[in-house]
Amino acid sequence: MKLIHRAKILPVLFFILVFTGTLVGQIVFNSFKLVAGPTNLENNRAAQLEHVFKTLNLVDHNGINYEMTKLSSRVIVINFWAAWCVPCLEEMPGLVQLQKQFKDSEVMIFGVNEDSEDQSRNIEKISAKFAIQFPLIPDKNSALANRLFIANIPQTLIFKDGKIMDIIQGQKDFTAKEFTETLRSAIRP
């Protein structure tokens, strides 16, 4: 009779022991308040981007030159895209809408085209299709993308006062309230 009783209690005791151990482990883990911060690799990339930004001049498809150091008091949004990239084209209306929400003296958007063929024609076509008013930069042979360590598109770099605010890899909803509020808070003195 005692043997049967022990066999019934043993799984219950095992469960209580495991549950208690898990609970204690969770309490100890939470007491350290561990927060994932940027890795050394991310910090190094940010430093490299900020270094390149200081010397960056962008020339749009109309030949207008933009020196980033003269614009650095604004929030600078540099979006890398191509006409063949569906996610890039899907986020274009959001970039157009974003530009309408801010003055050029607050936020300056640049679209950097990564097409390897028919670049001028693709820039004109996409510009007309989406009624783009911000500067579109042809990136011949991906020279700019290479300088800024862009490996995939769409990708967006956001700078303020020469410092990197954000690196967005992949498609982004630029009209999202959280995103626009982040830009607004960066603009406020």
Side-chain angles (χ1 to χ4, degrees), residues 4-62:
I4 295 173
H5 184 62
R6 283 185 187 165
K8 288 181 180 180
I9 290 183
L10 193 58
V12 173
L13 288 175
F14 181 74
F15 172 77
I16 291 172
L17 184 63
V18 169
F19 179 76
T20 304
T22 304
L23 185 61
V24 168
Q26 192 67 38
I27 291 169
V28 169
F29 182 77
N30 287 341
S31 69
F32 285 110
K33 297 182 182 177
L34 299 175
V35 176
T39 64
N40 286 340
L41 182 61
E42 290 168 331
N43 286 335
N44 288 342
R45 181 172 184 211
Q48 291 170 333
L49 289 170
E50 291 165 3
H51 177 73
V52 172
F53 183 83
K54 292 175 187 175
T55 62
L56 199 58
N57 292 322
L58 302 178
V59 180
D60 74 8
H61 69 292
N62 295 318

Side-chain angles (χ1 to χ4, degrees), residues 101 173-184:
Q101 291 183 37
D173 178 6
F174 292 103
T175 62
K177 185 177 181 178
E178 181 180 320
F179 179 75
T180 57
E181 285 303 314
T182 299
L183 293 185
R184 286 188 203 294

Side-chain angles (χ1 to χ4, degrees), residues 58-62 64-66 68 71 77-79 81 92 99 104 107-113 123 127 132-138:
L58 302 178
V59 180
D60 74 8
H61 69 292
N62 295 318
I64 300 172
N65 186 47
Y66 299 90
M68 294 301 108
L71 302 173
V77 178
I78 305 174
N79 175 263
W81 65 280
M92 276 299 168
Q99 184 192 28
D104 281 346
V107 176
M108 191 88 184
I109 301 172
F110 295 92
V112 180
N113 180 266
I123 287 174
S127 178
I132 296 173
Q133 299 297 313
F134 53 82
L136 296 176
I137 314 298

Side-chain angles (χ1 to χ4, degrees), residues 113-115 119-120 123 137-144 146:
N113 180 266
E114 293 301 320
D115 285 313
Q119 196 168 46
S120 294
I123 287 174
I137 314 298
D139 190 13
K140 306 262 189 253
N141 300 318
S142 297
L144 181 58
N146 291 333

Side-chain angles (χ1 to χ4, degrees), residues 69-180:
T69 54
K70 292 182 179 177
L71 302 173
S72 67
S73 64
R74 306 168 191 180
V75 173
I76 305 293
V77 178
I78 305 174
N79 175 263
F80 289 82
W81 65 280
W84 51 263
C85 171
V86 174
C88 299
L89 300 180
E90 288 175 348
E91 70 181 5
M92 276 299 168
L95 284 167
V96 170
Q97 197 62 31
L98 181 67
Q99 184 192 28
K100 291 177 182 177
Q101 291 183 37
F102 295 94
K103 299 174 190 168
D104 281 346
S105 61
E106 298 172 327
V107 176
M108 191 88 184
I109 301 172
F110 295 92
V112 180
N113 180 266
E114 293 301 320
D115 285 313
S116 57
E117 296 177 13
D118 299 322
Q119 196 168 46
S120 294
R121 192 181 102 241
N122 287 333
I123 287 174
E124 292 298 329
K125 184 174 92 176
I126 298 303
S127 178
K129 179 177 180 176
F130 294 105
I132 296 173
Q133 299 297 313
F134 53 82
L136 296 176
I137 314 298
D139 190 13
K140 306 262 189 253
N141 300 318
S142 297
L144 181 58
N146 291 333
R147 280 187 71 197
L148 292 171
F149 315 103
I150 303 299
N152 57 342
I153 57 173
Q155 191 165 148
T156 305
L157 305 175
I158 303 175
F159 294 90
K160 172 69 172 148
D161 297 324
K163 300 288 184 195
I164 191 78
M165 277 181 57
D166 201 358
I167 300 170
I168 302 166
Q169 297 190 23
Q171 189 173 349
K172 174 77 174 171
D173 178 6
F174 292 103
T175 62
K177 185 177 181 178
E178 181 180 320
F179 179 75
T180 57

